[in-house]
């Protein structure tokens, strides 16, 4: 090692070598979120060895923001992964990577297995999660191995900063029946990741972990002791005969029964036993509660700090704070304990409602005199209320773009004014909010105007400077990749499509237009990923697309 173990936490990030990051068994070290994800399977291997299990690891997926550097980081750490019996195999695309991970859970179903089990990790950005839905449903239904387990890393680009779509993966993961863990910190990538594999083994489910830019691309000093996380197996859940893990032969309807009647409830029992969701701040006279998860929880904590509300103030005014670690399915007994005695709960979450709907479901049948009001995306008016403004009630927390502490502070301040009117804290909150908004106004950056400002352009010498030019009178279709920038240049390029379908829109357009010909741009990475399938119908199905080149 390059420094004494006790002093590693004091080193600057650039002073810590890969040897420090990946060979230490205990202590504290500075890691980025991506480095923590690659350190994670090494910790799992160490834990298994101590438990008497000879396991191996497998990592596969497809890069994309905010998980764009997972493959590079894994490649740099290859010798350390090899030393921990962890194989890194990038996928040709996301769903084929997920299918290969499905295979790792089948190793011990047949003779010849070299390990007691294989724990696997899939990574991909939001569109890759969508793309892999078919595999996820099949493989999650089949189940994970008893000493294996699958962790799905879903990278969400909420603001579409480097994507063609603003993504939120929880809803598709829910549709696939895959529990969602949502870490708030780099440390929780390690902690929740180990819980994810343990939960996967216990329940037979694939378990996901939501990763967003603000956390995965940040860095922090973390505890890498493999014994840091203490796994508690539930004592209040009765396993069905035969357990919940993968088996063969296995009838499809039997898989459905295990999934719907047992697996999800086993996940809830695991979350309950390990307190993945918990009350952070409490009060002897609670009136108002805030429930949040992931990055939104960090925004909430920052907003409370900006408003001058700390744990002591919260205790005094009756504010209770609840942190959710597993956002789907939402464990019922914990949220009911949190909700008891409250008059109102504010749900702070990004994008479309997930926690809010589940919370309302859990509280719906409570008596009117004990059931708290629940607000989140909308204020006192409902989401589908009739409004001439936009067809719904007034936004309290928007479901578009991304949240920030100022937006959350406004929402909290509005509820403080409602429930604590006349309290000295309410006046201080008003003053603090005025300061926050004044500061935000001075820092506000005007959105770029393509008609006036200099727009991004291809680098000097870039092949796209010539490849995206089309003959006079022609036009081109865009796809995924750097050539997408041609859409806002003077390159006669219009409309785009998702990855791997470049040019295919012309199959539907060409029979109904007098236009004779269009060009379609596709990158070599996309060609290898899935674009070849788009080229086949454009070139060989002349009856469908006679004029696509």
């Amino acid at each position: 090692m390059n420094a004494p173990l006790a002093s590693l936490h004091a080193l600057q990030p650039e002073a810590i070598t890969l040897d420090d990051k990946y060979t230490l068994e205990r202590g504290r070290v500075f890691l980025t979120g991506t480095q923590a994800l690659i350190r994670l399977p090494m910790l799992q291997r160490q834990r298994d060895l101590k438990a008497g299990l000879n396991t191996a690891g497998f990592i596969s997926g497809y890069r994309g923001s905010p998980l764009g550097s997972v493959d590079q980081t894994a490649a740099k750490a290859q010798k350390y992964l090899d030393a921990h019996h962890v194989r890194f195999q990038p996928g040709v695309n996301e769903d084929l990577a997920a299918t290969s991970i499905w295979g790792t859970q089948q190793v011990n179903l047949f003779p010849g297995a070299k390990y007691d089990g294989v724990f696997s990790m899939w990574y991909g950005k939001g569109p890759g999660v969508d793309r892999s839905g078919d595999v996820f449903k099949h493989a999650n239904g089949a189940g994970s191995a008893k000493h294996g387990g699958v962790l799905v890393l879903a990278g969400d680009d909420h603001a579409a900063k480097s994507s063609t779509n603003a993504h939120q993966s929880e809803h598709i993961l829910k549709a696939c029946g895959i529990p969602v863990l949502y870490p708030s910190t780099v440390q929780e990538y390690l902690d929740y990741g180990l819980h994810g594999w343990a939960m996967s083994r216990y329940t037979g489910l694939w378990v996901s972990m939501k990763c967003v830019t603000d956390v995965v691309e940040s860095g922090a000093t973390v505890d890498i002791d493999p014994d840091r996380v203490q796994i508690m197996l539930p004592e209040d859940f009765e396993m069905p005969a035969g357990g919940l893990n993968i088996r063969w032969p296995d009838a499809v309807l039997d898989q459905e029964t295990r999934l719907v009647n047992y697996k999800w409830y086993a996940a809830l029992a695991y979350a309950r036993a390990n307190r993945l969701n918990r009350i952070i701040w409490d009060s002897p006279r609670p009136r108002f509660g805030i429930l949040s998860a992931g990055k939104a929880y960090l925004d909430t904590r920052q907003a409370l700090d900006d408003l001058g509300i700390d744990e002591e103030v919260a205790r005094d005014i009756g504010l209770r704070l609840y942190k959710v670690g597993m956002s789907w399915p939402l464990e019922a007994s914990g949220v009911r304990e949190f909700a008891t005695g409250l008059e109102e709960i504010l749900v702070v979450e990004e994008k479309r409602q997930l926690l809010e709907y589940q919370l309302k479901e859990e509280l719906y049948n409570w008596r009117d005199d004990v059931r708290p009001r629940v607000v989140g995306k909308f204020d006192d008016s409902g989401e589908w209320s009739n409004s001439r403004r936009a067809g719904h009630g007034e936004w309290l927390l928007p479901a578009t773009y991304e949240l920030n502490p100022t937006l959350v502070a406004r929402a909290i301040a509005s509820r403080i004014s409602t429930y604590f009117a006349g309290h000295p804290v309410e006046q201080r909150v008003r003053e603090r909010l005025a300061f926050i908004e004044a500061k935000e106004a001075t820092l506000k950056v005007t959105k770029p105007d393509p008609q006036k400002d200099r727009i991004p352009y291809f680098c000097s010498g870039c092949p796209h400077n010539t490849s995206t030019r089309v003959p006079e009178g022609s036009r081109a279709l865009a796809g995924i990749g750097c050539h997408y920038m041609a859409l806002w240049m003077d390159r006669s390029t219009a409309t785009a499509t998702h990855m791997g379908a470049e040019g295919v829109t012309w199959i539907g357009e060409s029979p109904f237009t007098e236009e004779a010909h269009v060009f379609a741009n596709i990158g070599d990475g996309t060609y290898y990923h899935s674009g070849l399938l788009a080229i086949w119908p454009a070139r060989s199905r002349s009856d469908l697309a006679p004029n696509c080149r």
Side-chain angles (χ1 to χ4, degrees), residues 3 84 119 241 338 383 447 458 464 472 526 546:
H84 288 81
F119 53 90
F338 161 70
E383 177 175 1
K447 291 184 179 180
F458 297 130
H464 291 309
E472 185 176 352
T526 300

Side-chain angles (χ1 to χ4, degrees), residues 347-466:
V347 180
V348 180
E349 60 182 329
E350 298 110 344
K351 299 296 184 182
R352 292 185 293 121
Q353 300 94 315
L354 179 77
L355 292 170
E356 183 180 343
Y357 286 163
Q358 294 180 88
L359 179 61
K360 289 177 177 177
E361 171 70 18
E362 293 301 336
L363 303 181
Y364 180 80
N365 287 324
W366 275 22
R367 299 196 321 269
D368 291 344
D369 60 327
V370 297
R371 182 178 60 243
R373 299 172 64 257
V374 177
V375 297
K377 291 303 174 186
F378 299 91
D379 56 16
D380 299 338
S381 56
E383 177 175 1
W384 307 109
S385 63
N386 187 18
S387 169
R388 288 177 295 175
R389 171 181 162 273
H392 52 62
E394 294 295 321
W395 288 106
L396 184 59
L397 290 167
T400 57
Y401 196 57
E402 59 184 356
L403 295 182
N404 60 52
T406 300
L407 289 172
V408 178
R410 289 193 190 109
I412 294 175
S414 72
R415 312 324 289 174
I416 294 289
S417 295
T418 299
Y419 283 91
F420 305 103
H423 194 288
V425 170
E426 190 232 351
Q427 181 58 35
R428 292 203 302 271
V429 164
R430 285 176 179 268
E431 294 169 355
R432 289 277 192 133
L433 183 62
F435 172 76
I436 293 168
E437 294 186 328
K439 183 173 66 173
E440 184 184 60
T442 63
L443 297 175
K444 189 173 184 179
V445 178
T446 304
K447 291 184 179 180
D449 183 348
Q451 303 300 320
K452 300 178 181 178
D453 302 324
R454 184 183 184 278
I455 61 174
Y457 211 78
F458 297 130
C459 299
S460 177
C462 175
H464 291 309
N465 273 321
T466 54

Side-chain angles (χ1 to χ4, degrees), residues 174-196:
K174 174 185 174 183
C176 295
I178 296 177
V180 181
L181 303 179
Y182 193 179
S184 299
T185 65
V186 175
Q187 182 68 65
E188 287 183 348
Y189 279 161
L190 299 175
D191 297 349
Y192 285 13
L194 294 175
H195 275 301

Side-chain angles (χ1 to χ4, degrees), residues 235-251:
E235 297 180 353
D236 57 353
F237 179 80
E238 185 176 347
M239 280 284 176
L244 298 174
N245 297 107
I246 193 169
R247 79 268 328 258
W248 188 260
D250 193 14

